[in-house]
Amino acid sequence: MTTAAELPAVDLPQRPSWLGTRDLTLPDGSIATGLETPPELLDRRFATVDVLPAPDLDDGFTATIAPLEGSILEASTWEIGCPVPVEELRYLTMT
């Protein structure tokens, strides 16, 4: 098993400060489509912020699997008619 300390260092761009703050929902409730991808998002490899504690080196990583519900479901793009029923979706967290 490879640990984070063994991975090669990669210089990644910092994520734009506006990322995740723009509402793509139109007044009628539909999702905006057909928008051009901003240049800073063409290469989507961004440095991330760890929101979970560092894993115990004996465990290698930490992960959770839960049903997609509540505020997580509300923030998702899932809608009636999607090919996968919401009951079959899962919310994953991983270090």
Side-chain angles (χ1 to χ4, degrees):
M1 175 172 31
T2 302
T3 65
E6 296 169 331
L7 295 174
V10 176
D11 287 330
L12 296 176
Q14 293 297 311
R15 63 192 298 267
S17 60
W18 55 262
L19 190 61
T21 64
R22 295 181 179 174
D23 187 3
L24 297 179
T25 305
L26 300 175
D28 66 1
S30 64
I31 303 295
T33 60
L35 302 175
E36 278 193 42
T37 301
E40 54 271 59
L41 295 184
L42 291 177
D43 180 359
R44 294 177 184 237
R45 298 178 303 152
F46 296 112
T48 60
V49 177
D50 289 333
V51 295
L52 296 175
D56 181 339
L57 294 179
D58 293 336
D59 291 340
F61 72 95
T62 301
T64 64
I65 302 172
L68 191 65
E69 57 190 12
S71 63
I72 301 299
L73 177 58
E74 290 172 15
S76 77
T77 59
W78 185 89
E79 59 187 40
I80 295 173
C82 282
V84 177
V86 72
E87 298 83 21
E88 293 182 19
L89 297 176
R90 296 295 175 263
Y91 181 66
L92 309 176
T93 62
M94 298 180 70
T95 56

